């Protein structure tokens, strides 16, 4: 199960990188405009800077490897990492050499010419079919590029790919470990599951229960309260016999929803669902909308698109007393301004918590930024699916493959 065991992994701080070539698996899977190569959001690039600087300050030659998009094992020019090299050079304030391939003669030539303190960014890992297939030969070729391997791509740690799992088996003398971002993710998420300050409150939102069923089931073993929002709430509301109109419901999961509600009661966990909601006929905000109690049949043929003010007050009240908070998923159709208030209000309430707060998921992170409270969140997770699987109790292959810290090997 995810948890404390992941906190004992060897990290870059345990490794001697001075004068060595260090291959860092980063997550530079950022949005890039196809027409001009402009990077829409460089958050993931910035998140890797501490690990890169740690290695550079100790005289390493840094080789960076990442995937971008889904090229399906072939070269797709619009998914080249070349624009990322330019942006990274600006952020580091030093040159970044781009290698036009990931392995092979051209990559070896670029790396061979690199000196201590230089940075090389390899081309998209997924241009090679061996990456996603976790092909041993491709993993061995990647390992041959460097003396030390560091995995700082928590967002890809739930994938058993050549650059996240296979490569570790070909690095000599336990010379591999987690990067600083990876270590921070494991530390915050691991402590939330294993040793949280209480009350521990989790907030789960988004469109579907199916994507977060395991997460909710696992969280019920750890939390004191679970607050649910977004379209996924309607499967639970229907399971309780409440009117949901044309709201998104996964009818095949009504039984699972009832089971989760029963588990919460049995464990004395407060399982909170919206008491009121904003309802409308269109998701784009162009149709009339109003606030109704969640049990009001006047929803008729409309659908719920955001939590209402009473729910915001209730959730904020629960959060006010929390000491540990984990949030993943919006409370409504956050991309439409008219239906973003519930999500934004939750972001503000979390920012006011006197304790450890962890926020993950694109919309949740965006809501924190929109509310202007990013600097008041203890940890912003870049993990996405990896964070969800970790919270769902799954072992992450990219983490499990890394060696334990020297004093934990026995």
């Amino acid at each position: 199960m995810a948890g404390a065991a992941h906190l004992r992994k060897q990290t870059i701080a345990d490794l001697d990188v001075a004068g060595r070539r260090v291959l860092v698996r980063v997550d530079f899977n950022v949005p890039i405009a196809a027409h001009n190569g402009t990077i829409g959001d460089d958050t993931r690039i910035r998140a890797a800077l501490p690990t890169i600087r740690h290695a550079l300050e100790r005289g390493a030659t840094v080789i960076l490897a990442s995937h971008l998009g889904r090229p399906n094992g072939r070269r797709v020019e619009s998914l080249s990492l070349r624009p990322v090299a330019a942006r990274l050079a600006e952020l580091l304030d030093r040159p970044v050499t781009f290698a036009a391939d990931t392995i092979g003669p051209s990559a070896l030539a670029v790396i061979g010419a690199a000196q201590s303190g230089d940075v090389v960014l390899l081309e998209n890992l997924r241009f090679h079919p061996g990456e996603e297939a976790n092909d041993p030969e491709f993993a061995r070729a990647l390992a041959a590029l460097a003396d030390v391997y560091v995995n700082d791509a928590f967002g890809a740690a739930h994938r058993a790919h050549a650059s996240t799992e296979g490569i570790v088996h070909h690095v000599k003398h336990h010379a591999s470990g987690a990067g600083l971002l990876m270590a921070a993710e494991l530390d915050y998420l691991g402590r939330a599951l294993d040793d949280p300050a209480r009350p521990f409150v989790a907030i789960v939102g988004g469109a579907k229960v199916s994507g977060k069923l395991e997460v909710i089931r696992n969280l019920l073993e750890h939390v004191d309260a679970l607050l649910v929002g977004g379209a996924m709430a309607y499967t639970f509301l229907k399971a309780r016999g409440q009117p949901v109109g044309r709201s998104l419901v996964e009818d095949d999961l009504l039984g699972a929803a009832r089971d989760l509600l029963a588990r919460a009661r049995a464990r004395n966990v407060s399982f909170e669902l919206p008491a009121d909601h904003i309802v409308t006929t269109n998701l784009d905000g162009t149709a009339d909308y109003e606030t109704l109690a969640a049990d009001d049949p006047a929803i008729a043929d409309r659908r719920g698109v955001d939590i209402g003010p009473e729910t915001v007050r209730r959730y904020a009240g629960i959060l006010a007393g929390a000491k540990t908070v984990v949030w993943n998923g919006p409370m409504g159709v956050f991309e439409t301004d008219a239906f973003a208030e519930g999500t934004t209000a939750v972001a503000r309430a979390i920012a006011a918590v006197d304790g450890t707060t962890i926020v993950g998921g694109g919309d949740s992170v965006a809501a924190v930024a929109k509310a202007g409270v990013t600097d008041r969140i203890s940890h912003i997770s870049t993990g996405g699916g990896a964070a969800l699987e970790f919270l769902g109790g799954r072992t992450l292959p990219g983490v499990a493959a890394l060696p334990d810290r020297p004093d934990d090997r026995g």
Side-chain angles (χ1 to χ4, degrees):
M1 177 178 288
H6 294 85
L7 308 185
R8 298 195 299 265
K9 292 300 179 180
Q10 186 164 268
T11 75
I12 190 172
D14 301 310
L15 301 170
D16 179 11
V17 301
R20 296 186 174 182
R21 292 175 303 167
V22 180
L23 177 63
V24 184
R25 176 47 161 107
V26 290
D27 183 4
F28 287 169
N29 187 30
V30 297
I32 300 178
H35 65 287
N36 63 5
T38 300
I39 295 170
D41 181 356
D42 64 3
T43 300
R44 288 179 173 173
I45 304 174
R46 292 176 180 273
L49 296 179
T51 294
I52 297 170
R53 288 178 174 139
H54 176 98
L56 291 173
E57 288 165 2
R58 286 155 182 78
T61 302
V62 177
I63 305 158
L64 303 172
S66 177
H67 73 283
L68 176 63
R70 299 180 182 277
N72 298 317
R74 58 189 178 86
R75 180 173 290 274
V76 178
E77 289 307 320
S78 62
L79 295 177
S80 171
L81 284 165
R82 189 178 294 276
V84 175
R87 180 60 183 141
L88 180 61
E90 294 174 354
L91 294 170
L92 287 172
D93 194 25
R94 69 169 67 204
V96 173
T97 304
F98 182 69
D101 203 348
T102 311
I103 59 171
S106 63
L108 288 169
V110 172
I111 292 169
Q115 307 278 321
S116 173
D118 287 349
V119 181
V120 174
L121 175 61
L122 303 175
E123 183 55 284
N124 192 340
L125 286 158
R126 291 186 181 174
F127 284 0
H128 290 264
E131 164 63 358
E132 292 185 90
N134 199 5
D135 176 65
E137 290 304 313
F138 185 64
R140 187 177 290 111
L142 286 174
L145 299 176
D147 308 303
V148 175
Y149 168 73
V150 172
N151 190 346
D152 210 28
F154 181 69
H158 58 317
R159 307 297 188 199
H161 291 169
S163 68
T164 60
E165 196 275 339
I167 187 174
V168 179
H169 306 294
H170 301 287
V171 177
K172 297 178 181 178
H173 310 303
H174 294 289
S176 58
L180 300 179
L181 174 63
M182 173 82 81
E185 295 273 13
L186 297 175
D187 183 33
Y188 274 102
L189 293 170
R191 278 191 288 123
L193 289 181
D194 290 335
D195 188 27
R198 295 190 180 277
F200 177 16
V201 179
I203 310 152
V204 182
K208 294 185 176 181
V209 177
S210 53
K212 296 178 180 176
L213 197 62
E214 284 185 70
V215 176
I216 295 172
R217 185 176 289 126
N218 192 49
L219 284 173
L220 288 176
E221 303 295 315
H222 301 272
V223 301
D224 300 294
L226 183 74
L227 317 183
V228 178
M232 63 185 299
Y234 292 95
T235 297
F236 290 101
L237 289 170
K238 185 171 181 178
R240 290 204 315 196
Q242 293 184 216
V244 296
R246 293 180 58 244
S247 302
L248 179 63
V249 171
E250 293 174 277
D251 287 313
D252 59 328
L253 292 180
L254 291 174
R258 293 187 190 100
D259 177 66
L260 291 173
L261 291 167
R263 282 173 181 251
R265 286 193 297 271
R267 295 191 60 81
N268 200 30
V269 172
S270 177
F271 196 112
E272 297 288 333
L273 294 169
D276 63 340
H277 51 177
I278 313 300
V279 302
T280 187
T281 54
N282 293 333
L283 302 183
D284 60 8
T286 58
D288 292 339
Y289 50 90
E290 66 172 326
T291 301
L292 293 178
D295 60 358
D296 191 335
I299 187 173
D301 63 349
R302 293 174 291 178
R303 65 184 67 188
V305 289
D306 194 13
I307 57 175
E310 176 57 33
T311 304
V312 167
R313 284 190 290 272
R314 180 186 292 185
Y315 286 10
I318 294 170
L319 289 167
K323 292 300 180 184
T324 302
V325 176
V326 172
W327 179 27
N328 185 290
M331 298 291 99
V333 186
F334 176 69
E335 58 270 25
T336 301
D337 287 344
F339 310 134
E341 179 53 34
T343 304
T344 305
V346 166
R348 295 192 192 102
I350 293 172
V353 169
D354 181 17
T356 300
T357 51
I358 303 167
V359 175
D363 284 331
S364 301
V365 173
V368 164
K370 185 174 182 177
V373 295
T374 300
D375 60 348
R376 293 166 60 190
I377 305 299
S378 305
H379 180 66
I380 300 289
S381 175
T382 59
L388 284 176
E389 292 201 14
F390 189 98
L391 292 171
R394 290 190 177 183
T395 296
L396 307 184
V399 175
L402 296 174
D404 292 337
R405 286 178 179 163
D407 56 350
D408 288 322
R409 288 178 194 151

